[in-house]
Amino acid sequence: MFADNHINFDSINSTNSFALGLKGTSLFSEGLLVTTNHQDKGRGNYGKEWESAYKKNLLLSLVVEPSIPLSKQFDLNIMISLAIYDFLYSLDIICDIKWPNDLLIDNAKISGILIDNVLHKDIIAYSVIGIGINVNQLSFNEYFPPATSIKKCLSEEQDCKLLLNKLLQFIEKRIIDYRKGFDQQQEYNNLLYLRDKEAYFIYKGNKFKGVIKSVKSGLIKIETTNSINKYNINEIKFCF
């Protein structure tokens, strides 16, 4: 799926931004893969930057054509999160999926996902899926949660090219399974970070204690002593 339309850079501002800039050209179609050794302005969610040392990590963007209603946009997060989980599991690394789009190992972040959708009316015609996975980097700036990498977990230098090919295989399988009608929602919920455990969150500036129960249609359901409420992605923050 991603073998015939691969654009690689030594350095670029952002793989997602570059891929989106190809919109309207023949290159902008399902299967486009954009990779780089370094990003000057790598984008994370909520305007944050994605830190990555030169030639140390996996930095890529994929174009797919979901042709699904906008109401199902979170299905893309589920598919890609599970594909990265599968990829790390194949390396004997067990991780959790932190809603909505991070993967954590022992409370440290190893991967993040950024999805930009192109709509036609209320249908997602194209999705540019940005993925960052920390591979060989050992030193990071201070973050909450802190960052980790595959090399930190396995104590061995990794071949990024080999890992990229393996990752793409897992992504392709998840996409194919989804299109065959396999429901991946429950699997995603089973792997949720802090599911069924007491944790602290911030909502509208106020800190509260609750228990994550599930995620559905992108909304996270948290149970407190007095109620069960659902929250959107921009409404709530985890406390670390």
Side-chain angles (χ1 to χ4, degrees):
M1 183 181 290
F2 303 106
D4 300 326
N5 192 4
H6 182 189
I7 302 173
N8 180 62
F9 292 92
D10 186 55
S11 182
I12 194 176
N13 59 353
S14 161
T15 56
N16 259 39
S17 297
F18 175 82
L20 284 167
L22 295 175
K23 188 173 58 173
T25 72
S26 60
L27 290 174
F28 192 77
S29 60
E30 180 162 278
L32 173 63
L33 167 65
V34 181
T35 58
T36 187
N37 293 321
H38 180 257
Q39 290 186 128
D40 296 322
K41 296 181 180 178
R43 292 192 291 126
N45 285 282
Y46 318 118
K48 296 179 180 178
E49 290 191 4
W50 181 266
E51 177 197 351
S52 182
Y54 179 66
K55 283 190 173 181
K56 291 292 186 181
N57 306 308
L58 290 179
L59 302 168
L60 60 142
S61 293
L62 310 166
V63 174
V64 297
E65 299 179 27
S67 298
I68 59 175
L70 182 58
S71 60
K72 292 188 175 183
Q73 64 178 322
F74 198 77
D75 289 359
L76 297 166
N77 289 68
I78 291 174
M79 274 189 291
I80 302 304
S81 295
L82 289 174
I84 298 173
Y85 175 90
D86 296 338
F87 162 72
L88 292 171
Y89 187 83
S90 75
L91 301 175
D92 294 324
I93 296 174
I94 306 300
C95 64
D96 298 310
I97 298 174
K98 176 185 167 290
W99 173 86
N101 45 23
D102 293 333
L103 287 97
L104 305 185
I105 299 170
D106 295 329
N107 299 314
K109 183 174 176 177
I110 194 168
S111 178
I113 302 163
L114 176 68
I115 300 178
D116 292 308
N117 293 317
V118 178
L119 304 180
H120 178 66
K121 297 183 179 179
D122 62 345
I123 300 296
I124 301 175
Y126 300 93
S127 291
V128 178
I129 301 168
I131 298 171
I133 301 178
N134 299 327
V135 178
N136 290 317
Q137 188 166 337
L138 295 177
S139 178
F140 296 90
N141 293 327
E142 185 175 344
Y143 300 103
F144 299 97
T148 189
S149 67
I150 293 175
K151 185 176 180 179
K152 275 194 166 188
C153 294
L154 302 181
S155 301
E156 293 180 355
E157 188 81 8
Q158 303 295 313
D159 186 321
C160 286
K161 289 184 178 179
L162 291 178
L163 292 187
L164 173 62
N165 291 331
K166 179 177 279 197
L167 172 65
L168 294 175
Q169 291 172 9
F170 284 112
I171 292 173
E172 184 171 347
K173 185 179 185 304
R174 284 289 177 178
I175 292 172
I176 291 172
D177 285 348
Y178 179 80
R179 288 173 174 171
K180 287 180 178 178
F182 291 109
D183 187 1
Q184 301 174 40
Q185 175 76 61
Q186 189 57 53
E187 192 176 358
Y188 176 90
N189 279 327
N190 290 342
L191 297 171
L192 274 178
Y193 174 66
L194 294 178
R195 186 185 184 192
D196 293 328
K197 297 178 181 179
E198 285 192 342
Y200 286 92
F201 308 89
I202 295 176
Y203 175 67
K204 293 185 176 180
N206 297 313
K207 187 176 180 180
F208 73 95
K209 182 168 66 174
V211 177
I212 295 173
K213 305 307 292 184
S214 64
V215 171
K216 187 174 182 180
S217 300
L219 300 177
I220 191 167
K221 183 164 70 173
I222 298 178
E223 182 178 13
T224 64
T225 304
N226 301 317
S227 63
I228 298 178
N229 294 306
K230 296 178 181 178
Y231 301 92
N232 209 330
I233 290 170
N234 297 320
E235 289 183 323
I236 196 167
K237 293 182 179 179
F238 288 71
C239 293
F240 291 96

